[in-house]
Amino acid sequence: MSSTSPSSNDAAPQKDHGRAGRDLKAAVGSAVVLLSAIAASLLFWKPAFMVIVAIAVVVAVWELRKGLLAKDIDLPEQPLMIGGVVMVVVAYLWGSAALVTATAVSALVIMLWLLRRGIDGYVKNATASVFALVYVPFLGSFVALMLAEGGRDGGGLDDPGVKGIITFILVTIASDIGGYVAGVLFGKHPMAPVISPKKSWEGFAGSTLATVGAGVALVVYLLDGDWWIGVALGLIAVVMATLGDLCESVMKRDLGIKDMSQVIPGHGGLMDRLDSLLATIAPIWLLLHYGIFT
């Protein structure tokens, strides 16, 4: 989608990357750097991964505020960022009950904070703020719940929490890669042409095959679980990842922007990469918590 800015006609034309829809070389390079940082934190001392999650929450809130300003919606950055980091930390240290409490308190603090701005736009900004609180830090805090499986210290491939995070990340990546390859090679029937013209049913089929295959392999060989849990994991991942991607596309269409930002070369904004991850983490944590770790 082209920018709605009056100066868009004067801007340099964007390079056409064909059916892939992205600069593949830059995208792969960025992915390697990010995955290397994640792998290092998980393998050596898993609490360090919580620093990455907290930074991601802060950047995502910044991107959401920047995007929503296009519709004259002004999120209160400070309480959202602080509340989001607190939610991630308490989820990791004290579990799901503490997360629910921290979310409720953060929402109330944000609504009180907005009172300082006066009456005009209060309902609009408060509603958007609570939406942002749930969409980013609340869903992101399930990553902390996953990582806390098996204890809050340590790291390495013998740690249940690390195994859970690796499974969650790889099965979501499998969905993206499977959909990308099948969509580029075989995509002919658009899934939601108004929302996301490049997303096809052939791509969805590729995502399904990739996630189910990855789910079974990861559950059986990494988590020592039953194969049918891997199938369930793959199906959950492909459905939720697709919905997350479509919801993010709807938001950007409504806001009149192509990417949330350009902080990740080849990928756009952080939210453009987190959409599938945020959508999949909660049901995946629930499945693995009761199907594998309990």
Side-chain angles (χ1 to χ4, degrees):
M1 172 178 286
S2 61
S3 171
T4 58
S5 170
S7 61
S8 61
N9 292 331
D10 300 327
Q14 294 184 348
K15 185 177 180 180
D16 182 10
H17 299 294
R19 297 177 70 182
R22 68 178 71 172
D23 184 343
L24 186 58
K25 183 177 179 180
V28 171
S30 299
V32 169
V33 172
L34 290 173
L35 290 175
S36 297
I38 291 171
S41 63
L42 292 174
L43 292 177
F44 293 103
W45 191 53
K46 71 177 187 177
F49 183 61
M50 285 296 92
V51 177
I52 297 177
V53 175
I55 292 173
V57 166
V58 170
V59 174
V61 167
W62 171 78
E63 285 187 346
L64 269 182
R65 179 179 183 272
K66 182 173 176 288
L68 290 173
L69 282 173
K71 291 292 186 178
D72 197 29
I73 300 173
D74 188 5
L75 300 180
E77 274 185 321
Q78 294 88 349
L80 266 172
M81 290 178 176
I82 295 172
V85 171
V86 169
M87 288 161 60
V88 169
V89 171
V90 300
Y92 185 67
L93 294 178
W94 297 296
S96 56
L99 170 59
V100 172
T101 302
T103 303
V105 172
S106 296
L108 290 171
V109 168
I110 288 169
M111 288 189 285
L112 290 173
W113 182 282
L114 286 171
L115 289 175
R116 301 163 63 241
R117 298 182 181 177
I119 297 174
D120 290 341
Y122 177 83
V123 173
K124 175 178 65 176
N125 291 324
T127 302
S129 297
V130 174
F131 161 76
L133 187 74
V134 173
Y135 185 34
V136 178
F138 179 73
L139 292 180
S141 293
F142 282 85
V143 175
L145 295 178
M146 180 79 83
L147 189 64
E149 297 285 352
R152 299 175 181 84
D153 205 353
L157 291 178
D158 292 331
D159 185 277
V162 172
K163 291 181 180 180
I165 292 294
I166 291 173
T167 299
F168 150 66
I169 292 176
L170 290 184
V171 78
T172 308
I173 290 176
S175 175
D176 192 24
I177 293 176
Y180 170 80
V181 172
V184 169
L185 295 179
F186 309 110
K188 293 181 179 180
H189 301 88
M191 177 181 288
V194 175
I195 299 172
S196 184
K198 294 183 181 296
K199 189 171 291 295
S200 65
W201 284 108
E202 291 82 2
F204 180 74
S207 291
T208 303
L209 291 174
T211 52
V212 170
V216 171
L218 289 164
V219 167
V220 171
Y221 296 109
L222 182 62
L223 301 179
D224 296 321
D226 296 324
W227 66 269
W228 63 267
I229 296 179
V231 173
L233 174 66
L235 293 176
I236 289 171
V238 70
V239 171
M240 297 308 297
T242 301
L243 290 176
D245 186 52
L246 289 174
C247 288
E248 180 77 3
S249 296
V250 167
M251 288 176 57
K252 290 188 291 186
R253 292 267 176 186
D254 187 27
L255 296 173
I257 58 178
K258 183 180 185 296
D259 295 312
M260 284 295 185
S261 74
Q262 295 296 329
V263 297
I264 308 178
H267 291 273
L270 183 62
M271 284 300 300
D272 298 304
R273 294 300 93 202
L274 290 182
D275 50 9
S276 298
L277 293 167
L278 288 173
T280 57
I281 180 57
I284 287 179
W285 169 77
L286 189 67
L287 175 67
L288 296 185
H289 178 72
Y290 290 104
I292 299 292
F293 299 129
T294 300

